[in-house]
Amino acid sequence: LGYGCHIMAGFRRLPSSVVPRSYDLRLHPDLTHLTFSGHENVNVEVREEVREVKMNSADIAITSATFQCAKGELVGKTEYNVEEETVVITFSDVLPVGSGKLSLDFNGELNDKLKGFYRSKYTHPNGEQRYAAVTKFEPTDCRRAFPCWDEPSVKATFDITLVAPKDRVALSNMPVIEEKDHESDPSLKVVRFGRSPIMSTYLVAFIVGEYDYIEDRSPDGVLVRVYTPLGKQEQGRFAMEVGGVIETVTGLMSQLGRIVGEKDRWRNRYMSGCVDGLTDRQKDRETDK
């Protein structure tokens, strides 16, 4: 087993009767109350008629669950298994074979466990203690941010939207494709990111906090940006140079005939590692573990 891996007692893989194809996810971390709320639409493939959908979920409360299919909208009831870190959603009728859409509303806590979707304490240059909302999903902690099929072999695309204060930075795996004011709260912004390549849940990453950045272009003209804690831009210069090399190498791989998704998987793995690295430098200052 690799470092940090663990196997829960009585571990069983999720059923393959219903599998995800794409996630459309919206998350709103509350940096004051250290909680978050979320909504997700998961396009799924129903491979056999069932009444239940079983997913991974830990430390999350699902407040509503519906399923859209040829029969219309079906309402689900949830039952959690804390030891297995799963939830079973039972619907009012059998789900027909074919495509469907699972919609969930949920909420949770920005935990102090340094895994999943958690809070990271830092000191602002003015001396004030503040929090960022950050993620660490490898190996099996994406389930602490949103209900999902949290197994490496179960891959899908991810469309991520973050609701954040206007004076905070919102980051995820993919570039920002839209940023607009919140529908009802003028202090918030809604940031939508591009669709990810098909990938495992542990590669998903997002962060809301206060960061500076430096940027430059790689030798092949791709913009490389490195985010750092406030006032620490120059400490990110080496990472930026390495990022430029990685971009150049993966670009060459793509040109040499590798599959299209390979380059994107390198980038997404790098983004996931960058989020971990950005928060790792703050861990020694955290006192709320």
Side-chain angles (χ1 to χ4, degrees):
L1 292 177
Y3 175 77
C5 292
H6 63 279
I7 299 178
M8 293 179 293
F11 169 77
R12 290 181 296 175
R13 292 197 177 278
L14 295 172
S16 60
S17 51
V18 180
V19 293
R21 293 304 179 209
S22 65
Y23 294 81
D24 190 342
L25 176 68
R26 174 170 166 145
L27 284 164
H28 179 191
D30 185 332
L31 301 178
T32 300
H33 299 95
L34 303 179
T35 59
F36 66 90
S37 58
H39 175 80
E40 65 179 317
N41 293 315
V42 189
N43 290 315
V44 302
E45 177 188 349
V46 180
R47 294 176 170 175
E48 58 184 86
E49 290 190 342
V50 290
R51 295 179 67 99
E52 300 178 342
V53 175
K54 188 174 184 179
M55 311 168 67
N56 291 114
S57 182
D59 303 326
I60 288 176
I62 297 173
T63 56
S64 72
T66 60
F67 193 88
Q68 291 279 353
C69 61
K71 294 182 177 181
E73 182 177 273
L74 306 178
V75 177
K77 296 182 179 180
T78 56
E79 182 179 354
Y80 302 94
N81 186 316
V82 176
E83 183 179 0
E84 286 188 354
E85 297 183 345
T86 59
V87 60
V88 174
I89 306 171
T90 304
F91 291 93
S92 51
D93 199 353
V94 172
L95 308 183
V97 172
S99 300
K101 181 172 72 174
L102 174 66
S103 298
L104 304 176
D105 290 307
F106 55 92
N107 54 66
E109 178 188 8
L110 292 172
N111 69 68
D112 58 357
K113 302 174 183 178
L114 302 179
K115 61 183 180 180
F117 198 17
Y118 70 94
R119 59 186 187 252
S120 177
K121 182 186 287 187
Y122 63 95
T123 302
H124 189 272
N126 68 10
E128 181 182 347
Q129 297 292 307
R130 297 183 180 179
Y131 288 96
V134 302
T135 59
K136 184 181 184 304
F137 291 160
E138 193 170 4
T140 56
D141 287 309
C142 187
R143 64 192 67 182
R144 301 181 189 279
F146 57 95
C148 58
W149 284 257
D150 201 13
E151 296 180 356
S153 62
V154 185
K155 297 177 171 63
T157 60
F158 296 84
D159 292 87
I160 295 175
T161 299
L162 296 176
V163 179
K166 288 183 175 178
D167 61 350
R168 297 297 193 269
V169 174
L171 299 172
S172 188
N173 300 79
M174 304 302 291
V176 174
I177 59 174
E178 183 183 40
E179 182 173 319
K180 61 183 181 179
D181 292 341
H182 189 268
E183 302 85 354
S184 58
D185 189 335
S187 69
L188 298 175
K189 61 184 177 181
V190 180
V191 183
R192 187 161 65 97
F193 301 89
R195 174 167 293 182
S196 78
I198 297 173
M199 63 186 192
S200 303
T201 50
Y202 72 85
L203 289 176
V204 176
F206 38 83
I207 183 170
V208 174
E210 293 181 286
Y211 299 99
D212 287 328
Y213 68 85
I214 55 174
E215 65 181 20
D216 201 352
R217 292 195 176 273
S218 68
D220 57 351
V222 174
L223 179 66
V224 178
R225 181 176 291 177
V226 173
Y227 287 84
T228 71
L230 292 175
K232 306 291 186 182
Q233 298 100 311
E234 287 306 309
Q235 294 185 15
R237 189 160 300 280
F238 175 72
M240 184 178 66
E241 294 171 356
V242 172
V245 172
I246 291 174
E247 173 59 43
T248 300
V249 171
T250 56
L252 288 173
M253 286 181 177
S254 179
Q255 294 172 24
L256 289 172
R258 294 294 184 94
I259 59 174
V260 173
E262 187 72 15
K263 184 177 179 183
D264 290 323
R265 279 195 290 274
W266 274 72
R267 285 173 174 168
N268 281 300
R269 185 59 181 266
Y270 184 60
M271 171 62 197
S272 182
C274 284
V275 170
D276 292 343
L278 194 59
T279 56
D280 282 343
R281 292 196 294 274
Q282 299 175 354
K283 288 179 182 177
D284 290 340
R285 298 196 297 274
E286 293 189 13
T287 58
D288 62 332
K289 297 180 181 179

